[in-house]
Amino acid sequence: MSINMKHVWIVFKKELKDAFRDRKALLVGIVLPMIFIPVIFIISSLAAKSAYEVKPQKTPIVVIGKEYSKTLTSIIEKSEFQIVDSKNPKKDLQDGNVKAVLIIPEDFEKLILQEKQAQVQILTNEADMKSSNVGSILSEIINNLSKEITKSRLIKKNLDPSIIEPIVIKKENVAPPQKQSATFLSFLLPMFLTLWVAVGGMNAAIDITAGEKERGTLEPLLTTAATRASLVTGKYLAVSFMALLAGLSSLVGVIVSFIALPRALGSALQNSPILDYKVSPLTVFIMLIVVTLTAIIFAAIEVAIASYARSFKEGQTYLSPVSIVVVIPPYLTMYKMPNELTDTYFVLPLVNAISILKELIYDIINLQHLALFVVSSLVYIAISISFASKMFENEKVLFRS
């Protein structure tokens, strides 16, 4: 069936006018993505900072048996941890009222003086990140004391302290701050970008298909001179445009989050794991390509599914699972580093967009993967448009009662 571009343009303008008249849909599809990502950025930054950061002077711990070792107790007190009393330390630890419990045995000092091995016990709540971090800090403090005691014992015996430490491990973290931040963001950002692209065109897709059926305006439209191919192309382009606007809106949110917010909230986000993250203009441009191709695929799928629905409400029911399906692929790549993503990831539908976005967040531009993504996306676009056209041309589907 032939396509008349004049008719396509008329249908496209008409559907866009209808879409822009729906202010609630514009708020959800365009304004909200622009605000949502910066808000998530701030909340994630503050939440991550709060979860990992331990301020000793504000962190309560319980020390049982303080009287059994003045030396160790004095070191703990100098660390500025807030030592509190507790009638039931284990329960207080489980309830989060204290972050660690240090138990010093009665014979601690006696064993140290006899140059024997003494044991201390540290209780932590591993379900609480701060408790785990406090446990690590206390372990380090006690290990340092242990080394000092060993050193003094060896010196007393005229032995070189280094003989008990034949190998010294020097660990160095070579990951730039940008890469460490990317690990945190590579799960959230691809999911939000693709989610808003999917949701952005959904309302328009339902309104111009199932909505028109419900209002009784579809049949008169089909009796006009415009062919069905022209009608479905115009409607499809309008849905793609709305999905693309939602994608661009979320991209603006990304740019605001990583350029404007760190400058505006620098002190508030200090020590946040994602404060040092930056995106380059080239990365943003490739993200734009990814968002555009993904928007086109979703638009065709949503037009096809919504065409089957008999009413606006039924269309919402059919398309609701789409927004759930979108959040699944990020879990497939969640524990994968970019160098672990094989070529297969860049040809699977939707997973390819998530994988490319993950690489871009790590500031990796792999031309082979980019080509696989573009080619596979074009194939999916052709399949989804063909599917949408067949659904729109099938009268049994279009006028089912």
Side-chain angles (χ1 to χ4, degrees):
M1 198 173 286
S2 62
I3 296 177
N4 185 319
M5 291 312 295
K6 183 182 175 183
H7 292 159
V8 171
W9 178 243
I10 292 170
V11 173
F12 175 71
K13 283 196 298 181
K14 177 246 178 201
E15 301 301 355
L16 275 189
K17 279 182 184 175
D18 289 344
F20 278 100
R21 284 195 190 106
D22 188 348
R23 293 185 179 178
K24 287 182 183 175
L26 287 179
L27 178 68
V28 173
I30 298 174
V31 178
L32 205 57
M34 207 180 301
I35 300 170
F36 186 78
I37 290 181
V39 170
I40 288 293
F41 175 86
I42 294 172
I43 293 173
S44 302
S45 300
L46 297 179
K49 181 182 174 184
S50 172
Y52 288 102
E53 192 176 54
V54 172
K55 293 179 179 176
Q57 63 274 26
K58 293 182 181 178
T59 304
I61 64 169
V62 173
V63 179
I64 300 173
K66 284 184 286 188
E67 64 275 22
Y68 302 138
S69 175
K70 291 181 181 177
T71 306
L72 182 53
T73 304
S74 173
I75 293 172
I76 299 293
E77 286 173 342
K78 284 178 184 174
S79 70
E80 297 183 345
F81 277 117
Q82 186 186 348
I83 301 175
V84 297
D85 295 324
S86 172
K87 292 181 180 177
N88 191 340
K90 195 173 276 188
K91 186 174 185 308
D92 281 339
L93 183 60
Q94 289 172 340
D95 293 343
N97 298 324
V98 297
K99 296 301 177 186
V101 177
L102 173 64
I103 303 173
I104 305 172
E106 187 177 349
D107 56 353
F108 182 84
E109 289 284 4
K110 182 183 171 184
L111 291 171
I112 295 295
L113 288 173
Q114 291 175 350
E115 296 191 354
K116 293 181 179 177
Q117 189 179 62
Q119 290 185 348
V120 294
Q121 191 175 6
I122 299 172
L123 307 183
T124 57
N125 179 0
E126 293 300 315
D128 179 346
M129 286 187 188
K130 281 188 178 176
S131 176
S132 178
N133 285 346
V134 170
S136 300
I137 294 171
L138 287 176
S139 296
E140 188 177 349
I141 289 171
I142 294 167
N143 282 334
N144 287 337
L145 174 62
S146 177
K147 285 179 183 175
E148 287 301 316
I149 291 170
T150 306
K151 188 177 175 183
S152 67
R153 286 177 181 175
L154 292 171
I155 290 172
K156 279 181 185 176
K157 296 178 187 299
N158 294 322
L159 294 172
D160 183 356
S162 64
I163 63 170
I164 61 162
E165 200 175 18
I167 300 174
V168 177
I169 301 172
K170 287 187 177 178
K171 291 175 72 177
E172 183 180 353
N173 179 13
V174 298
Q178 167 100 357
K179 293 286 174 68
Q180 295 183 64
S181 307
T183 302
F184 185 79
L185 294 167
S186 61
F187 174 71
L188 291 178
L189 277 185
M191 183 173 68
F192 287 137
L193 282 173
T194 49
L195 180 62
W196 284 115
V197 167
V199 172
M202 201 176 284
N203 202 61
I206 299 170
D207 188 60
I208 64 176
T209 52
E212 288 222 43
K213 283 186 196 178
E214 195 173 17
R215 294 191 295 272
T217 55
L218 186 59
E219 288 185 29
L221 190 63
L222 293 172
T223 60
T224 61
T227 62
R228 290 195 183 184
S230 301
L231 290 175
V232 74
T233 304
K235 287 175 179 290
Y236 165 68
L237 289 177
V239 176
S240 299
F241 187 80
M242 296 306 294
L244 185 56
L245 275 185
L248 291 177
S249 172
S250 53
L251 262 185
V252 170
V254 170
I255 295 167
V256 169
S257 298
F258 296 122
I259 295 176
L261 280 180
R263 291 175 186 171
L265 303 172
S267 58
L269 299 179
Q270 193 176 13
N271 297 328
S272 162
I274 57 177
L275 179 62
D276 296 320
Y277 188 79
K278 300 286 187 300
V279 287
S280 68
L282 181 59
T283 300
V284 173
F285 175 72
I286 299 174
M287 282 184 176
L288 178 62
I289 295 173
V290 176
V291 166
T292 303
L293 293 176
T294 309
I296 294 171
I297 294 172
F298 273 115
I301 293 170
E302 287 167 1
V303 167
I305 295 174
S307 299
Y308 186 74
R310 287 168 291 197
S311 65
F312 194 94
K313 193 174 180 181
E314 194 176 315
Q316 285 180 315
T317 305
Y318 290 157
L319 285 178
S320 295
V322 173
S323 56
I324 298 172
V325 169
V326 171
V327 300
I328 296 174
Y331 287 95
L332 294 174
T333 61
M334 184 177 179
Y335 298 106
K336 297 278 186 184
M337 290 298 288
N339 61 342
E340 295 173 330
L341 296 173
T342 60
D343 290 350
T344 309
Y345 284 85
F346 298 89
V347 295
L348 295 173
L350 193 56
V351 177
N352 57 0
I354 298 287
S355 301
I356 281 288
L357 287 171
K358 189 178 181 93
E359 281 194 339
L360 292 173
I361 288 166
Y362 277 90
D363 204 24
I364 295 171
I365 298 175
N366 185 316
L367 293 179
Q368 181 182 332
H369 291 166
L370 200 55
L372 285 173
F373 163 74
V374 172
V375 172
S376 59
S377 294
L378 291 175
V379 172
Y380 296 133
I381 287 171
I383 294 171
S384 54
I385 290 176
S386 172
F387 178 53
S389 300
K390 284 183 179 175
M391 291 292 280
F392 211 79
E393 289 168 4
N394 189 331
E395 294 196 358
K396 287 183 181 176
V397 170
L398 212 55
F399 299 112
R400 75 191 185 93
S401 58

